[in-house]
Amino acid sequence: MLQIYNTLSKEKAPFVPLNEGKIKMYVCGITVYDFCHIGHARVMVAFDVITRYLRSQGWDVDYVRNITDVDDKIIKRAAENGESPEQLTQRMIAAMHEDEAKLSVLRPSQEPRATAHIDDIIALVATLIEKGFAYPASNGDVYYRVEKFASYGKLTNKNIDELRSGARVGVEAAKESPLDFVLWKAAKEGEVSWDSPWGKGRPGWHIECSAMSKCCLGDTFDIHGGGPDLPFPHHENEIAQSEAANGCTYVNTWMHAGPVRVNSEKMSKSLGNFFTIRDVLEKYNAEVVRFFLARVHYRTYIDYSEDSLKEARVMLERFYQALRGVEINDTVIENDFDARFVEAMDDDFNTPKAISVLFELVNELNKASREGTPDAGMLAAQLKRLGGILGLLQQDPAAFLKGEDKEGELSSDEIEALIQQRAEAKKAKNFAESDRIRDELSAQGVILKDTREGTTWFRES
């Protein structure tokens, strides 16, 4: 039975959906003011793997991932660029979709944008005011009364008294309490804004997700996910807003992906160790990056380094080497690999254990290939199918192993030309020249394999 670790309860528990066979899942998406970084990729891939697996087991998954397209950072960056916020967000959304496609991340079922839900946001704020959980302030903002929500802090075990004692007093004179957070922000001169009962303004960040999730999935849904920096205050505030307004449980299961560190340090622009997805994909094959992200349990931190990417490349090559030259046979073979893979994934989506099962399957495939048994084609089909659940192993093995042409390396055309010269040398019985070309290619990291059908090649990691 599927078990999921719940951030709220701090333990794994059997997953019981609100509606049999259906899963309603909301994951906090990107604030689109810049290109997506490797931390974003980690969350994207983690919940893509989760969604793919659930669907492979017959679940009907309604996967909602929002886009924050109005925000202080967006307004500031657009002004710096001399463009409108809409122009900036449209460019960044297009870039995000390009990055996702390269990483084989499927598009969510629904992708709501905050600016398309302004009416829903205003209605939710009005409900909170009516119920006494929010108040319009003298500065034109609307704030949430944190201390009125008795269970505030339950997701992250925050104590309201400790929060109060640690809060900065007098940060905003219009607030009743320094703990209160903004739901609706009064517009400043020249800023994008919308009409509301409290004057022109725009939504605060936290209220956007409460409104969009309610609109897309209802008052209560099964799973809410996000990155490691979101439990406090963002998700804590979402719970306070939604449960106060709707009078019911907001989310049954909370899931959070682990952080990405760079050479064991926190990733930040100030440390000079900040990498966008585009930076990474300029150096590494996209499937290698996806494998690197997927092979670590989604709740565990990932250490990004040159060595860890190279290791991922070597591991992925083992799969494609096993698949290369094997004729796929879709006849189902009887073994326990499927059951063990499912057992691993049912244990809170344990991808490291699932991938270890795939490596055992590779060993069986290699053995069958060496012995020339008909099981090889069936095992190869099983490997591709199970790998596909993780969004992996769907490329042509020979194409993957040849790799992408990179600056400073022999191009594919140059390699093919040298292989042809070697073939002509062998035909002329000039074996010294044939060996010289093989050695030249080997020195460049190109490995040749001679078969009856001709010579194939791949790049060594």
Side-chain angles (χ1 to χ4, degrees), residues 98-327:
E98 289 172 5
D99 292 344
E100 288 177 331
K102 289 177 182 176
L103 291 172
S104 298
V105 172
L106 303 174
R107 295 284 286 272
S109 314
Q110 302 183 64
E111 195 172 52
R113 302 184 186 187
T115 55
H117 288 268
I118 299 299
D119 289 345
D120 300 314
I121 292 167
I122 290 172
L124 189 56
V125 173
T127 298
L128 289 168
I129 292 173
E130 181 184 342
K131 292 189 171 187
F133 285 93
Y135 58 94
S138 58
N139 63 355
D141 293 347
V142 179
Y143 293 99
Y144 184 94
R145 286 190 177 97
V146 168
E147 294 176 62
K148 185 175 173 60
F149 187 69
S151 58
Y152 189 83
K154 64 182 178 180
L155 180 66
T156 52
N157 290 333
K158 302 289 186 185
N159 181 284
I160 198 75
D161 292 328
E162 292 175 358
L163 289 171
R164 190 188 301 112
S165 64
R168 292 173 59 199
V169 179
V171 172
E172 177 54 70
K175 290 184 181 182
E176 293 178 356
S177 165
L179 295 181
D180 296 347
F181 59 87
V182 68
L183 300 173
W184 185 261
K185 306 178 82 167
K188 296 176 182 176
E189 185 68 30
E191 284 187 349
V192 60
S193 63
W194 290 265
D195 290 327
S196 81
W198 319 285
K200 283 188 172 295
R202 56 189 171 85
W205 176 38
H206 310 300
I207 196 69
E208 294 176 355
C209 284
S210 284
M212 286 186 280
S213 61
K214 177 183 174 72
C215 180
C216 295
L217 297 175
D219 292 351
T220 304
F221 51 95
D222 297 293
I223 297 172
H224 195 318
D229 55 335
L230 296 182
F232 188 86
H234 184 54
H235 288 162
E236 205 71 76
N237 291 350
E238 278 189 60
I239 292 171
Q241 294 162 162
S242 296
E243 296 193 355
N246 302 328
C248 58
T249 297
Y250 178 40
V251 174
N252 285 342
T253 301
W254 287 88
M255 300 177 66
H256 293 93
V260 174
R261 297 176 188 167
V262 180
N263 293 316
S264 301
E265 291 187 306
K266 183 178 180 181
M267 184 174 67
S268 76
K269 289 184 178 178
S270 62
L271 293 175
N273 63 359
F274 181 89
F275 299 100
T276 67
I277 295 174
R278 296 179 170 219
D279 293 333
V280 177
L281 294 184
E282 283 182 4
K283 295 183 67 176
Y284 296 100
N285 177 285
E287 187 170 356
V288 171
V289 177
R290 183 182 175 98
F291 181 78
F292 159 72
L293 295 169
R295 64 184 278 248
V296 176
H297 191 277
Y298 78 90
R299 286 193 285 115
T300 306
Y301 86 89
I302 290 180
D303 192 26
Y304 176 90
S305 67
E306 295 286 324
D307 288 343
S308 58
L309 267 296
K310 289 176 181 177
E311 182 183 12
R313 167 79 193 188
V314 171
M315 294 174 75
L316 195 56
E317 281 179 352
R318 280 189 59 193
F319 289 111
Y320 277 112
Q321 289 281 15
L323 290 168
R324 187 180 62 175
V326 180
E327 186 175 344

Side-chain angles (χ1 to χ4, degrees), residues 344-376:
M345 293 298 287
D346 273 353
D347 181 16
D348 193 33
F349 310 104
N350 191 333
T351 52
K353 190 173 181 181
I355 288 172
S356 72
V357 173
L358 297 188
F359 274 117
E360 291 184 45
L361 176 51
V362 163
N363 292 337
E364 287 296 311
L365 170 55
N366 286 335
K367 180 181 177 183
S369 295
R370 287 194 302 270
E371 295 175 351
T373 69
D375 286 356

